Amino acid sequence: MTFQAAYQLWMDRQLHGQRGDGKQHKLEDGQGHAERLFLQQVWYPAFRNFDYLFGEYEVADFKDGTRYLDFAYIREPIKLAIEIDGYGPHSAKVSRWQFSNSLMRQNHLIIDGWQLLRFSYDDISEKPRACEQILQQFMGRWLGGANGNGRSRGASELLEAEVLRHGLRLNRPLRPRDVMELLQISREKAYQLLHQMHRNNLLQPSGKGTKTIRGFLVNRDQARY
C-alpha cells in the first residue's frame, strides 16, 4: 500500500473515532507539514503501517487541563509519546516561564508512565534514516523477544519486518550480531527473535548444519516486507 493510501485510511479511522468537535478539529488542524513529513519519511518506511499510532493524542495536563501529544504509540507494554520540535524564529522567543513549563510537562508525562522520543524537524527532513533507527532501537528494547515473555505475536511483527528488510540489504547471511546492532538488544534476545522467525519459515539457515545455525537468509517465498 502506498503511503498516501495508508495515511488517508489512518486519518479516516481517527476522525471517525473522535468524540467531540474540539478534538476532531484539533486532529485536522494539528497534522502540519512537520508531522506529516515524520509519518512519510520516518514512521511509514520503518513499519509500513500506522497500527496503534495516534495523532494529536489528548492527555491530562499536570495543571488539571489537557494537552496534545504530536503522536502516541500505545501497545502493551509501550506507551510512547513522540514530539516533533521545529526550529525557527519562534524558538528564540520562548520565555523562561514557557521553557520551565515545557520541562515540567515532560516530567509529568514520564511520571504517568510514558516513554518519550523527540525529533527535530531538521533530522526528519535531512536524516530520516537516523530517526528510523532510533524508533527501531526503541521497539527492539521494549518488544524484543516478544513471544518469550508472554507478549502478543503481533508485537514482534514490527521487529520481524525490520529484520527482514535489513537481511535483504545485506550481501551475506544475517547473523545475531547484525540484529543486536540493528535493534540494540541483547545476544539472547537476538537469538530468540531469529529462531522464532526460522520456526515461522521467514528465515532459512544459510548453511547445511542443523544443530548450530550461524547465519540466516530471508525466505522470499514466505516473507512479507
Side-chain angles (χ1 to χ4, degrees), residues 119-132:
F119 298 95
S120 73
Y121 174 81
D122 287 347
D123 280 345
I124 291 170
S125 176
E126 300 172 11
K127 296 182 286 185
R129 180 56 186 156
C131 299
E132 274 188 63

Side-chain angles (χ1 to χ4, degrees), residues 5-208:
Y7 175 79
Q8 191 59 55
L9 286 173
W10 177 71
M11 284 292 290
D12 290 345
R13 285 198 305 267
Q14 290 192 96
L15 292 173
H16 181 73
Q18 294 288 353
R19 296 181 179 178
D21 291 340
K23 288 186 68 177
Q24 180 164 322
H25 290 162
K26 180 66 176 175
L27 177 59
E28 290 174 330
D29 295 341
Q31 287 298 304
H33 174 68
E35 289 79 9
R36 184 184 171 91
L37 192 68
F38 169 77
L39 294 176
Q40 184 171 5
Q41 296 203 169
V42 179
W43 186 274
Y44 195 68
F47 305 121
R48 308 302 294 180
N49 65 67
F50 298 118
D51 296 345
Y52 305 97
L53 185 70
F54 303 90
E56 292 299 321
Y57 189 81
E58 183 178 350
V59 296
D61 188 78
F62 74 100
K63 291 186 176 180
D64 297 324
T66 58
R67 65 169 298 194
Y68 294 88
L69 305 175
D70 288 337
F71 297 101
Y73 180 81
I74 303 176
R75 185 174 193 175
E76 182 65 29
I78 295 173
K79 195 165 70 168
L80 171 65
I82 300 173
E83 295 284 67
I84 312 302
D85 297 316
Y87 181 81
H90 66 281
S91 302
K93 297 179 181 179
V94 173
S95 68
R96 296 173 72 94
W97 177 85
Q98 289 172 317
F99 178 72
S100 297
N101 189 59
S102 175
L103 296 181
M104 194 60 68
R105 287 170 183 263
Q106 180 172 312
N107 291 340
H108 277 269
L109 274 177
I110 294 172
I111 290 171
D112 288 340
W114 288 85
Q115 305 291 327
L116 177 64
L117 291 178
R118 304 182 72 167
F119 298 95
S120 73
Y121 174 81
D122 287 347
D123 280 345
I124 291 170
S125 176
E126 300 172 11
K127 296 182 286 185
R129 180 56 186 156
C131 299
E132 274 188 63
Q133 290 173 335
I134 291 293
L135 285 170
Q136 290 155 359
Q137 289 169 8
F138 177 89
M139 296 300 180
R141 167 66 177 83
W142 288 96
L143 297 179
N147 278 358
N149 58 17
R151 296 172 192 159
S152 68
R153 162 69 184 162
S156 66
E157 290 178 352
L158 290 172
L159 306 183
E160 290 179 354
E162 184 54 32
V163 170
L164 291 173
R165 283 194 288 271
H166 188 63
L168 290 170
R169 289 193 290 263
L170 294 174
N171 293 319
R172 56 171 175 75
L174 183 70
R175 301 184 180 117
R177 171 63 63 180
D178 300 317
V179 177
M180 291 170 61
E181 293 176 354
L182 175 70
L183 300 176
Q184 293 295 294
I185 58 177
S186 67
R187 176 176 291 274
E188 179 183 0
K189 287 186 176 181
Y191 272 108
Q192 288 175 355
L193 181 57
L194 286 170
H195 284 283
Q196 170 185 303
M197 295 175 70
H198 178 221
R199 289 192 299 272
N200 293 331
N201 205 26
L202 298 174
L203 297 175
Q204 298 175 328
S206 61
K208 297 182 179 180

